[in-house]
Amino acid sequence: MQTQIIATSAVPQEVPLSALVPSPTNPRQHFDEDKLNELAETIRKSGVYQAILARPKDNTLEIVFGERRYRASLIAGKETIPALIREMNDAEVLEAQLVENLQRRDVHPMEEAEGYKRLLELKEPTFTVEQIAAKVGKTPAYITTRLKLTDLCDDAAAAFYQEHIGVGHALLLAKLPATQQESALKACFKEVHTASEDKPTRILLPVRNLQSWIASHILLVLKDAPFNKRDAQLVPTAGSCADCPKRTGHNKLLFGDDLGREADQCTDPSCYQAKVAAHLAKAIAAKPALVQISTSYGAQQEGSPVLPRNKYTAIRDDRPKDKEEAKRPEFKECKFTTEAIITEGEDVGTIHKVCANPTCPVHHPKQSMSRDDAKWKAEQEKQRKEQAIANTVGLRVLSAIGSAVPVRLMRRDLLSVTERLLFLIDENRVEMLARQHGIRQKRDDGGVKKTFTAFVRRADEGTLSRLVVEASILLAASRGNPTVILKEAAATYKVDTEAITTKVRQEFAAKEKAKKAAQPVAKAATKAA
C-alpha cells in the first residue's frame, strides 16, 4: 500500500524514506557512525518518537531538520518515518535548521559557526548578530566568537574537526590573522621523546600555554608603537591602526578575554614591523643627520652607519632617585648631547638622547685620560678585579640559592614558567645561567639560548625549580639593584654570602700569586734562550 503525501499537515504522517532528500543547508555535516548505529537500534525496537520536518521541493520532500533520525531509520531498515510537511521558503528553512540543530549538544562548533554565517549572509530577511543571539538563546559575544571560527586556516580547521585541538585552542587561533595561525597551531603541541618509541609523541598543551605563546610571540601593545597609529598613509595597503580589525580594541565582543587584557594590541606582527620600517625610513629621510644607534649586542658590519652600544651613552629621561645616582653619567647632559633613533635591536624607531662623542669628559671620562698614566691604569685594574670578584661571588650565591630551592610545582608548570622567564631575559644573562648548569657554546654556533632551551625541556623538576628561582633573580637584577636583589634572595634561602665572598677572594689572591711567581721564571727562560 502506497502512503499518500499531502502538501501540508498540522499533524505528523508516515512518509516513505525514498521520498525524502537531505538539505544542502543543514548545519550538521558530520554524523558519528557509532551514535547513528545506537539510534538505529533504538528505532528498530521502539520506532521514531519525534517527527522530522520536511518541505515540498522539486517533486521531493527536503528534510528541514531530522536528518539524523532519517539516516538512522535507513540503517534500521525502516520504510517510512513520521514527518510534518510544511510549505517553507529558503530563509525560513535556514532559520528553522539553526534554531533546531544548533541548540543540540552534539553539533560541532565549526558546523554551528557555518550556520550562523549562512544566516548572516541572507539577503532577505537580514539578520544581525544580536538577532541571531536572541533566536538561539546565546549572547552576542558568543555568536561573534563562534562566527570567527569560520576564519580558521585549513590546517587549523582540520585539526579542530579531527579533535586534535579543543574549542578553546580553535577560538584563540581564529582570532589571529591567517598568516599567524600556522605557527600558533604548532605551539599548541609539545613533542615528548621516549626511549621506547622511535618517533616523538605529540601532546596537546593547555589553552593557557597557547595564550602565553601568543602574548609572547605575536601580540604587540600599540601604545608602545613608535609610529602614528592614525596615519593611514604610512603603509597605504595597511591603512590606519584605528580602523584595523586585527587590533584587539577593534572588537570588544571578540577580544574580551585574555587576548584583550593588555590594553589595545596588534595581532599582526608582520604589518606592525612594516609600519615600524616605514616610520624609520620617513624619520631618517626627514633628518638625514639623525644619529642611528643599536640596542643589540655584538659588533656592527663594516661601513654601517649604525653605532653599536659601546660607541654611545644613552641619556636617561627619568629623574635620579638620590644624589649618588644623579652623579652617574647617564643622568647628565653635555654639549655633545643629540637626538638618536634606534634602528637595530629593541625599541626600533624610538627617539632617545645620546652622547656619541668619544672625547666627552662627562660621558667618556676614561678617554680623556692618558693611557700612560700608571695611577689610572692601576685604578682600572683594581676596578676590573673587584668587578670580577663581585661577578664570581654573585654567581656562587645564585648557585647556592638554586641548590636550596625545593621541588613543589609539577614539571609542566615549572617548564612553562621557565620558558617565559628565558624569553624575558637578555642573551648575556641566559649565557650566564647556562654556564651555571655546565653549558657553553659560541654565539656563531647558533647561540647558547637555543642550546639552553633544549636543555631546559629535558630537565627534571628539581632542575626546573632551581632555574625558575635563578632566572627570576637575574630578571629582577636587570631591572633593579643587583646587589640588593641578590642579598635579599640569599637571605630567603639562608645562603652565607660572606663565606662565599671570602672564599672567592682567596681564590683570586692565589691565582694572582701564582701568576707573579711564574713571571720571573718566564723572563729567565727568555734571557737564556
Side-chain angles (χ1 to χ4, degrees):
M1 179 179 178
Q2 188 175 4
T3 304
Q4 182 183 4
I5 303 172
I6 59 177
T8 58
S9 61
V11 294
Q13 59 178 303
E14 288 295 324
V15 173
L17 293 173
S18 59
L20 295 164
V21 294
S23 170
T25 59
N26 184 8
R28 189 195 295 271
Q29 297 295 320
H30 294 77
F31 297 87
D32 188 295
E33 290 187 8
D34 293 336
K35 291 182 179 179
L36 275 179
N37 289 327
E38 290 177 8
L39 181 58
E41 187 62 30
T42 302
I43 290 173
R44 284 193 193 98
K45 295 178 180 178
S46 308
V48 178
Y49 284 113
Q50 185 179 1
I52 67 171
L53 178 63
R55 66 163 176 170
K57 184 179 181 183
D58 301 332
N59 298 321
T60 61
L61 291 175
E62 181 183 274
I63 301 171
V64 178
F65 56 74
E67 185 177 341
R68 186 167 172 270
R69 280 161 277 166
Y70 160 77
R71 287 173 177 261
S73 296
L74 287 174
I75 295 172
K78 296 291 184 179
E79 294 184 358
T80 62
I81 189 171
L84 285 169
I85 312 300
R86 188 179 300 165
E87 292 285 351
M88 303 174 72
N89 60 35
D90 291 344
E92 290 171 335
V93 168
L94 184 55
E95 184 178 343
Q97 288 173 337
L98 286 167
V99 175
E100 170 67 20
N101 286 308
L102 299 186
Q103 295 187 68
R104 297 183 181 272
R105 291 183 179 180
D106 58 344
V107 174
H108 195 280
M110 283 294 292
E111 296 174 338
E112 185 182 2
E114 291 290 349
Y116 294 145
K117 185 178 180 181
R118 283 196 290 269
L119 199 58
L120 276 180
E121 290 173 348
L122 281 177
K123 294 182 179 179
E124 188 63 36
T126 57
F127 286 91
T128 63
V129 167
E130 288 73 19
Q131 289 171 332
I132 295 175
K135 281 188 175 294
V136 298
K138 305 290 185 181
T139 64
Y142 177 90
I143 303 299
T144 302
T145 52
R146 278 295 190 270
L147 281 166
K148 196 64 181 171
L149 288 174
T150 60
D151 292 336
L152 281 173
C153 67
D154 293 341
D155 289 345
F160 188 27
Y161 266 126
Q162 295 164 11
E163 297 185 352
H164 292 165
I165 59 174
V167 64
H169 301 88
L171 288 172
L172 282 175
L173 293 174
K175 294 175 184 180
L176 303 176
T179 53
Q180 305 297 329
Q181 288 183 27
E182 188 173 344
S183 55
L185 177 61
K186 294 178 182 177
C188 293
F189 304 95
K190 178 179 70 173
E191 291 187 347
V192 178
H193 297 264
T194 59
S196 59
E197 297 179 355
D198 295 335
K199 294 183 179 180
T201 302
R202 196 170 69 158
I203 298 175
L204 179 64
L205 297 171
V207 174
R208 65 176 181 271
N209 285 63
L210 179 58
Q211 287 175 334
S212 299
W213 187 91
I214 291 172
S216 301
H217 294 79
I218 294 180
L219 296 184
L220 295 157
V221 181
L222 283 170
K223 69 179 180 64
D224 297 333
F227 52 82
N228 181 3
K229 275 79 74 179
R230 297 187 177 277
D231 187 355
Q233 299 304 314
L234 186 61
V235 178
T237 55
S240 166
C241 293
D243 303 322
C244 181
K246 291 182 286 187
R247 65 179 178 87
T248 59
H250 185 270
N251 193 332
K252 296 295 183 182
L253 290 178
L254 187 61
F255 292 102
D257 56 8
D258 286 343
L259 292 192
R261 183 177 294 173
E262 295 292 335
D264 202 1
Q265 300 180 87
C266 173
T267 63
D268 190 349
S270 57
C271 179
Y272 185 96
Q273 296 303 330
K275 289 196 172 186
V276 170
H279 163 75
L280 199 60
K282 186 177 179 181
I284 294 173
K287 293 183 178 180
L290 196 62
V291 177
Q292 300 179 41
I293 60 174
S294 170
T295 56
S296 60
Y297 292 91
Q300 299 298 116
Q301 293 183 353
E302 189 175 351
S304 172
V306 184
L307 294 179
R309 294 176 69 105
N310 61 343
K311 295 295 183 182
Y312 67 88
T313 299
I315 313 299
R316 292 178 57 168
D317 296 325
D318 55 322
R319 291 185 177 182
K321 297 177 182 178
D322 48 46
K323 292 182 179 180
E324 285 299 318
E325 195 173 67
K327 296 177 182 178
R328 292 165 58 178
E330 59 264 34
F331 286 100
K332 299 177 181 179
E333 289 194 17
C334 65
K335 62 181 180 180
F336 304 111
T337 299
T338 184
E339 284 190 338
I341 188 167
I342 299 176
T343 57
E344 293 179 8
E346 297 180 355
D347 301 324
V348 170
T350 55
I351 303 291
H352 300 271
K353 290 181 179 179
V354 301
C355 171
N357 193 312
T359 63
C360 174
V362 176
H363 298 104
H364 303 279
K366 64 181 182 181
Q367 298 295 336
S368 60
M369 296 182 183
S370 171
R371 291 291 182 179
D372 297 326
D373 189 339
K375 185 178 178 181
W376 179 84
K377 285 185 177 182
E379 183 64 28
Q380 290 296 305
E381 180 61 24
K382 182 181 177 181
Q383 290 180 9
R384 185 200 64 76
K385 180 182 175 182
E386 288 299 321
Q387 186 61 49
I389 291 173
N391 289 343
T392 305
V393 169
L395 288 173
R396 297 275 180 91
V397 172
L398 186 64
S399 179
I401 292 170
S403 300
V405 176
V407 179
R408 294 179 184 269
L409 295 176
M410 293 179 65
R411 184 181 182 279
R412 64 182 182 187
D413 302 315
L414 291 166
L415 180 59
S416 176
V417 175
T418 304
E419 289 182 335
R420 298 287 77 76
L421 287 170
L422 290 180
F423 177 78
L424 295 172
I425 298 173
D426 61 64
E427 190 171 348
N428 282 348
R429 286 184 169 83
V430 171
E431 195 170 331
M432 185 187 303
L433 193 58
R435 288 201 303 270
Q436 286 283 91
H437 294 267
I439 297 172
R440 295 176 181 271
Q441 185 173 349
K442 296 179 180 178
R443 292 187 179 181
D444 55 4
D445 289 340
V448 72
K449 201 163 191 175
K450 183 177 180 181
T451 306
F452 190 52
T453 301
F455 163 78
V456 167
R457 290 174 180 171
R458 296 192 303 270
D460 57 23
E461 288 88 343
T463 304
L464 289 173
S465 298
R466 175 175 177 171
L467 282 168
V468 167
V469 175
E470 291 174 342
S472 301
I473 293 171
L474 288 175
L475 179 61
S478 68
R479 302 181 179 182
N481 188 321
T483 305
V484 174
I485 290 165
L486 198 61
K487 186 176 180 181
E488 291 174 350
T492 302
Y493 288 95
K494 297 181 173 60
V495 172
D496 190 347
T497 56
E498 291 184 4
I500 292 174
T501 304
T502 302
K503 186 175 181 180
V504 170
R505 287 190 177 278
Q506 288 173 351
E507 290 175 2
F508 270 72
K511 287 180 182 178
E512 190 172 350
K513 185 177 179 181
K515 184 179 178 181
K516 288 180 178 179
Q519 286 177 353
V521 176
K523 289 180 179 179
T526 303
K527 187 175 181 181

